[in-house]
Amino acid sequence: MAGRNGRTVRDLRRANRTAVLQRLYFDGPLSRFELGPATGLSSGSVSNVVADLVADGLVEEAGSVDSDGGRPRTLLRVSPASGHMIGVDVGETRVRVELFDLALTELARTERPLEQQRYDVEVIVGHIRDGVAEVLAGAGVPPERLLGAGIGVPGIVERTDDRGAVVHGQTIGWDAVPLEALLRSSSPLPDGVPYFIDNGARTLGQAEMWFGAGRGADNAVVVLFGSGVGACLVTPEVEHGRAVEWGHLTVRVRGRRCRCGALGCLEAYAGAESLLERWREAGGRPPRDADEETALTAMLAAAYPPDGAAPDPVALGVLEETAEYLGAGLSDLINLFQPERILIGGWAGLQLGAGFLPAVRRHATAYALRHPAEKVAIELGRLGPDAVTVGAAILPLADFFARGGRRPEPAPQGPLPAWHAVLEERASH
C-alpha cells in the first residue's frame, strides 16, 4: 500500500534498514538507545529494524557499556562476515584484484602486470576473470556470497540497456568496449552477482571521501595522478562524485601532442608517462627497460638525491615544470568549483609525495583567484595505492546499503549506484 507521497510500507522498511545499517557501519558500535537520535527513528522502529537485521545475520552484538543507573546497554555493529565485495583496479601498469569483507578488510589479493599488450581488451578481461577466481579460491569464499564486483577503469563509462556498462577510453584505444557484457560472457560469478564498472578516478574519490582525507568535506576534488591524470568532483554544483576528464583540459595552445591525439592537454605535461618522456627528451637517462614506476623512482632519486649530493638539473627542471603545470591545472578546478579540499592520489602522486606538494600548492595559488585559493587545502590522499580497489569495492557496498541490506537482483538497474546519497545521508547527522 502506498502513502500520500507514493512510498509503500516496503519502501519505508528498506529506508529504515538503510538508516540503521549506515549509522552502525560508519559510527558503530552503537546501542539501540543511541541509534534512535542518530537515525531519527522511534525506539520501537529501532528495535524492530535491529531484530530484522540480527535475524538476517547482518548485525551482531559487540560488547556492552554502562548506562546511567540502569542495566548495561548492548552495543551493536555490522557483522563483517555477512557479505563480501571484490574491487578491481585496471591501472596503467597492472590489474589489481582484491577481496574484502563487509568491513572492507582485505581477505585476498592478486596483481597481473600489464606489459606490451597493456590495454588489449581480451587481456584485461582475462586478467579480471582469472583474478576474481583466484581471490575467491584463496579466501575460500563461495562466489554466490558476493554482493558484487566493482571495477575502476580509465575512460568514460556509459550504462546501456542492452550491453550494460560500456567504456569509452580514447587514450587507451577503447572505443565503446562493452566491458560488462564481455566479463559476463566468461564470468566465474553467478548471474545474481552484479558487476559495477566506473571510472578509476571516481572510485579513488569514493574511497577518499568515505574513509580517507575527504571525510567531513562537502566540496572536494580528488585527483588521480598516474600515467595520465584524472579527477573526481564532489560538489553541490556538479553531480556528486562525477568523474571528469581533467587531464584533457588544454593548458598550452599548439602544445605537445597528448596520447588522446589532441595538442596541449594537461596530461601531455603532467602525467607520469609524459613526464618521463620529457625527461628523456631533455637528456635524462631513465633505467633501460624499466616500467614507469621504476623509472619515476629513478628520476626522483636524480632530482632529490638522498645522500645530499648535487641534484641532476635536468630531472629537477622537468619536475619543477611539471609542478607548475599541475598547479595551473588545479587552479582551473579551484576557480570553477571552489572546493574545500583537493586530494592528490594515484601511484605517481603518492610517489612524488609530500616533497613535491609545496611547489604544486604555490603554483595553484598563483594561478587561481585569490578568494577561492585562500579557502582550499591541497593535500595527499591517505589511502595509498589500494584506494582505487577500495573505492571500486564501495560500489557494491553502496548498492547493498541502498537496498536496506538485501542481496542484489540478477542485474543492477538504472544508473550506477548513488554512493553520493550515502555521503549526503551521513552529512545530515
Side-chain angles (χ1 to χ4, degrees), residues 15 18-19 22-23 26 202 206 209-210 218 233-235 238-242 394-395 397-403 415-429:
T18 294
Q22 289 181 182
R23 291 277 64 77
F26 292 110
R202 185 169 180 249
Q206 292 168 357
M209 294 302 292
W210 275 39
D218 293 323
L233 305 179
V234 183
T235 72
V238 178
E239 295 177 27
H240 294 271
R242 178 180 177 183
I394 288 174
L395 291 169
L397 178 61
D399 180 73
F400 181 67
F401 284 154
R403 295 176 184 278
L416 291 167
W419 62 273
H420 55 80
V422 179
L423 293 176
E424 289 176 342
E425 197 279 336
R426 288 177 60 195
S428 68
H429 290 281

Side-chain angles (χ1 to χ4, degrees), residues 6-216:
R7 298 182 74 190
T8 65
V9 172
R10 182 178 178 181
D11 292 335
L12 183 61
R13 286 174 178 166
R14 181 173 61 244
N16 290 348
R17 284 169 63 100
T18 294
V20 170
L21 276 173
Q22 289 181 182
R23 291 277 64 77
L24 288 176
Y25 192 83
F26 292 110
D27 302 325
L30 296 171
S31 67
R32 290 173 177 79
F33 178 80
E34 292 170 311
L35 279 169
T39 59
L41 300 177
S42 69
S43 59
S45 293
V46 167
S47 294
N48 290 336
V49 171
V50 167
D52 285 345
L53 294 173
V54 170
D56 290 344
L58 298 176
V59 168
E60 63 187 16
E61 294 185 0
S64 62
V65 292
D66 293 334
S67 61
D68 296 333
R71 296 171 55 191
R73 292 181 180 141
T74 300
L75 294 175
L76 303 166
R77 68 172 184 179
V78 174
S79 173
S82 58
H84 299 82
M85 301 84 65
I86 281 177
V88 180
D89 175 11
V90 179
E92 292 100 348
T93 59
R94 62 176 59 85
V95 173
R96 178 182 287 125
V97 182
E98 297 183 52
L99 174 67
F100 302 91
D101 66 14
L102 206 63
L104 283 175
T105 300
E106 181 191 301
L107 303 179
R109 74 154 60 197
T110 185
E111 294 185 354
R112 302 288 201 280
L114 296 176
E115 297 171 347
Q116 289 82 8
Q117 294 176 296
R118 291 192 75 176
Y119 289 111
D120 180 272
V121 174
E122 292 185 6
V123 171
I124 296 294
V125 169
H127 284 338
I128 296 173
R129 180 193 61 234
D130 296 344
V132 167
E134 181 178 330
V135 296
L136 288 172
V141 174
E144 58 272 13
R145 287 192 56 81
L146 284 178
L147 303 178
I151 303 170
V153 297
I156 299 168
V157 179
E158 172 188 30
R159 178 159 290 281
T160 66
D161 292 334
D162 56 338
R163 296 187 296 172
V166 173
V167 183
H168 304 269
Q170 186 169 326
T171 61
I172 61 172
W174 284 18
D175 183 13
V177 171
L179 184 59
E180 183 174 349
L182 292 172
L183 287 169
R184 185 59 68 190
S185 68
S186 60
S187 176
L189 303 181
D191 289 342
V193 177
Y195 286 100
F196 300 90
I197 300 172
D198 207 343
N199 176 272
R202 185 169 180 249
T203 68
L204 171 68
Q206 292 168 357
E208 290 290 351
M209 294 302 292
W210 275 39
F211 302 110
R215 291 197 68 173

Side-chain angles (χ1 to χ4, degrees), residues 355-377:
F356 189 67
L357 212 51
V360 174
R361 288 193 188 107
R362 184 173 66 253
H363 291 301
T365 301
Y367 281 104
L369 293 170
R370 183 172 60 254
H371 181 69
E374 289 174 346
K375 294 180 175 293
V376 66

Side-chain angles (χ1 to χ4, degrees), residues 260-296:
C260 75
L263 297 175
C265 294
L266 174 62
E267 190 167 290
Y269 295 91
E273 181 178 297
S274 61
L275 192 161
L276 292 167
E277 185 178 325
R278 285 165 44 231
W279 182 35
R280 193 178 297 109
E281 290 172 357
R285 296 182 179 179
R288 184 173 297 178
D289 298 327
D291 60 24
E292 284 183 1
E293 294 187 34
T294 303
L296 184 58

